[in-house]
Amino acid sequence: MPLDGSTSATHVLAVCGSLREESYTRRALERALDGTRAAGGIGETLDLREYELPPFDADADAQGDSGVVTRRIRSADAILLGTPMYHGSYSGVLKNALDYCGFEEFEGKTMGLLAVAGGGFPVTALEHLRSVCRALDAWVLPHQAALPNVSRRFDGGDIVDEKLDERVRVLGRRAVEYASIEPDPHTFESDENVGADGR
């Protein structure tokens, strides 16, 4: 149940920053949403493969599918961002989708972060996403999920490491539990983020 004691189901949207057909990121987000549903929330995935999002152009950002994506993000109570780690950061696909968003979509919203890596821990990808969320004045869960050596972590859609599986499911549960947390005062990053205001 959300912190404010409300009984209406909390809507958690998982944004998948991978376009691969057999994406480990998507599988991990689905497992996180199992935690959301177990906590009484409604969980759904925003699959960026389904939308035509050209490279962000501030002069044309309201055209095409971008409006659908931003409306879905804006309407959710909490957001999970999932990404593979590419070159020490998060994916360009997710970066482009986030560029279409601004304070209207993220300000005061609870965010959960998940990253997968073919090699070692995707810590820097998570750090970079956390910085973006702070710049948009979102409230980022302290709990995050990192899946290193990800090809060895799954058997079909199941995470084979029980402790890691629990960590991923807890991420989805925390998104429900903290969806209604009282917003913090603006961050220094958000006060300086004038570019996102007018995009």
Side-chain angles (χ1 to χ4, degrees):
M1 180 182 296
L3 292 181
D4 66 358
S6 63
T7 57
S8 60
T10 298
H11 175 208
V12 179
L13 183 69
V15 182
C16 182
S18 170
L19 301 182
R20 294 185 66 183
E21 186 69 29
E22 300 296 327
S23 168
Y24 291 115
T25 305
R26 194 174 302 107
R27 292 186 216 178
L29 285 172
E30 283 299 327
R31 192 61 178 137
L33 290 177
D34 286 340
T36 292
R37 297 175 188 115
I42 297 170
E44 65 171 330
T45 302
L46 193 159
D47 190 341
L48 295 175
R49 295 177 303 171
E50 299 174 3
Y51 300 95
E52 290 291 331
L53 291 179
F56 176 70
D57 178 350
D59 291 331
D61 68 340
Q63 298 179 10
D65 286 346
S66 64
V68 178
V69 169
T70 55
R71 280 193 298 276
R72 289 189 66 189
I73 290 173
R74 194 180 314 128
S75 66
D77 298 309
I79 302 289
L80 301 180
L81 297 179
T83 186
M85 184 170 74
Y86 292 151
H87 308 309
S89 191
Y90 59 100
S91 71
V93 170
L94 184 56
K95 174 68 166 70
N96 191 50
L98 294 178
D99 283 347
Y100 281 96
C101 299
F103 289 111
E104 190 174 348
E105 286 74 35
F106 286 101
E107 187 171 15
K109 188 161 289 183
T110 296
M111 309 289 293
L113 306 180
L114 177 148
V116 309
F121 279 92
V123 174
T124 51
L126 292 166
E127 289 174 348
H128 295 171
L129 277 178
R130 190 169 292 271
S131 293
V132 170
C133 292
R134 283 177 56 83
L136 291 170
D137 207 34
W139 193 86
V140 189
L141 291 167
H143 181 88
Q144 59 188 16
L147 289 80
N149 305 302
V150 70
S151 63
R152 302 204 300 264
R153 305 291 181 177
F154 280 89
D155 180 8
D158 298 323
I159 300 175
V160 296
D161 183 316
E162 288 185 10
K163 289 183 178 179
L164 187 57
D165 184 55
E166 174 66 8
R167 185 163 189 86
V168 170
R169 285 188 291 113
V170 164
L171 182 68
R173 188 168 74 236
R174 292 285 186 265
V176 174
E177 293 169 346
Y178 289 92
S180 299
I181 193 167
E182 182 178 340
D184 289 331
H186 284 194
T187 63
F188 171 78
E189 295 94 329
S190 69
D191 288 338
E192 296 297 312
N193 189 19
V194 295
D197 202 18
R199 290 175 285 164

